[in-house]
Amino acid sequence: MDSIVQHFRKEEQPFIETAFGWVREVEDTYAPKLTGFLDPREQFIVETIVNNAGLSYDAYGGFLKPERERLLIYPDYYEPETDDYQVALFSINYPAKFVTLEHRDILGSLMSLGIDRSKFGDIRLQDDIAQFAVVDELKDYLAANFNSIGKSKVRIEQLDSSVALIDSMESWTEELYTISSLRLDAVVAAIMNSPRQKAVTLVQNDKVKVNHTVRNQPAFELNELDSLSVRGAGRFKILSIEGRTRKDKIRVLIGVLE
């Protein structure tokens, strides 16, 4: 475990220990283990641990190209099926003529019901259509209790396979950057093509999020599959670390949301 932990952040250790627990459960019971919905960074951590243990895994989030997915960890004899992931998909019916919904509105309303973020996956919006994924065990609870977003009354309806799902409208381009370090201020300065001090100011003024959490420490170290959002500049992903140059600079492949 120590050899793996050293490659991740100290603050990620509780999640790493949880992931090790999942792996040990599969090894002890020789049966599959299903996780909640994980973000890309959490998926990367679990995948690293599972690969090191010699087990198998697969992921499913309900939508095409989902960001948040449930991982199924299983021994080599097992062949997973879609039903194993226990994902339910819902649409939200709301007065679209009078109300404009945003991702944060739906997210906030779901969490106000006391639901942990790991219990639901992607939230997708297109025109006046809204859809989201949730663990199957909560579908009846949501049907009975998820009836408002802000001041607007809503009604949810579980989707079947005949309903068209909202495709991801996000389009990413890949750009290779050469930077001095993986410090947050250095990466922000590079992707914004701005002076380092301006990046420091943005970070210290709570203008930068890493994995959806505000980070105001310029020295915060980034890693593979971290997502970034810089207020006024857009969203980015650390896709891979490509190695070092002869001058010991770091090559980083970064996804940029168009």
Side-chain angles (χ1 to χ4, degrees):
M1 177 175 174
D2 291 340
S3 62
I4 293 179
V5 170
Q6 66 182 346
H7 296 293
F8 297 104
R9 304 185 185 103
K10 183 177 180 180
E11 66 193 56
E12 292 174 329
Q13 188 167 339
F15 180 78
I16 292 169
E17 292 174 351
T18 297
F20 268 107
W22 294 334
V23 167
R24 284 193 293 268
E25 183 177 337
V26 175
E27 291 174 331
D28 292 343
T29 64
Y30 208 51
K33 174 65 178 181
L34 181 63
T35 75
F37 285 97
L38 307 180
D39 65 34
R41 177 64 181 173
E42 292 170 331
Q43 293 173 41
F44 175 69
I45 291 173
V46 174
E47 290 164 6
T48 301
I49 295 171
V50 170
N51 286 334
N52 189 67
L55 296 172
S56 299
Y57 70 90
D58 212 335
Y60 181 73
F63 293 101
L64 182 64
K65 298 180 181 178
E67 179 179 55
R68 299 181 64 86
E69 298 185 88
R70 304 191 78 176
L71 264 62
L72 189 70
I73 306 167
Y74 54 90
D76 54 9
Y77 78 89
Y78 196 81
E79 296 183 5
E81 299 180 357
T82 301
D83 288 347
D84 292 334
Y85 296 92
Q86 300 174 33
V87 172
L89 296 167
F90 282 89
S91 64
I92 303 174
N93 298 312
Y94 66 100
K97 289 184 178 181
F98 310 103
V99 176
T100 300
L101 287 186
E102 295 185 8
H103 183 282
R104 62 184 179 184
D105 300 324
I106 301 171
L107 177 62
S109 295
L110 285 166
M111 297 192 72
S112 71
L113 294 174
I115 302 174
D116 186 81
R117 186 65 182 91
S118 66
K119 297 296 185 182
F120 52 93
D122 284 9
I123 297 169
R124 300 211 170 170
L125 294 158
Q126 187 178 74
D127 300 326
D128 59 352
I129 302 173
Q131 299 171 346
F132 66 93
V134 66
V135 296
D136 195 69
E137 67 201 60
L138 286 179
K139 63 183 182 182
D140 291 337
Y141 175 80
L142 286 178
N145 294 280
F146 189 36
N147 48 34
S148 66
I149 298 177
K151 296 180 180 180
S152 300
K153 294 295 183 181
V154 302
R155 180 175 58 84
I156 64 172
E157 181 179 357
Q158 187 171 356
L159 302 176
D160 58 36
S161 58
S162 66
V163 177
L165 299 178
I166 298 174
D167 196 0
S168 175
M169 302 300 290
E170 296 180 345
S171 178
W172 296 80
T173 59
E174 297 181 0
E175 296 186 19
L176 187 64
Y177 292 84
T178 301
I179 56 179
S180 58
S181 77
L182 290 170
R183 283 173 50 119
L184 183 56
D185 57 348
V187 175
V188 170
I191 59 182
M192 295 188 64
N193 193 27
S194 68
R196 185 78 164 261
Q197 189 53 49
K198 181 178 180 180
V200 169
T201 301
L202 286 170
V203 174
Q204 291 179 334
N205 289 338
D206 297 340
K207 306 294 186 183
V208 179
K209 291 183 178 181
V210 179
N211 299 329
H212 310 290
T213 300
V214 171
R215 297 291 181 185
N216 55 19
Q217 306 88 14
F220 183 84
E221 196 84 0
L222 294 172
N223 213 323
E224 286 185 321
L225 295 186
D226 279 335
S227 64
L228 289 83
S229 59
V230 182
R231 191 177 302 177
R235 290 175 57 199
F236 310 87
K237 291 180 183 178
I238 307 296
L239 299 177
S240 63
I241 299 170
E242 301 289 306
R244 292 182 177 269
T245 68
R246 291 182 179 179
K247 295 184 178 181
D248 209 32
K249 299 285 188 178
I250 305 172
R251 291 192 184 95
V252 184
L253 187 65
I254 296 179
V256 181
L257 183 62
E258 294 181 344

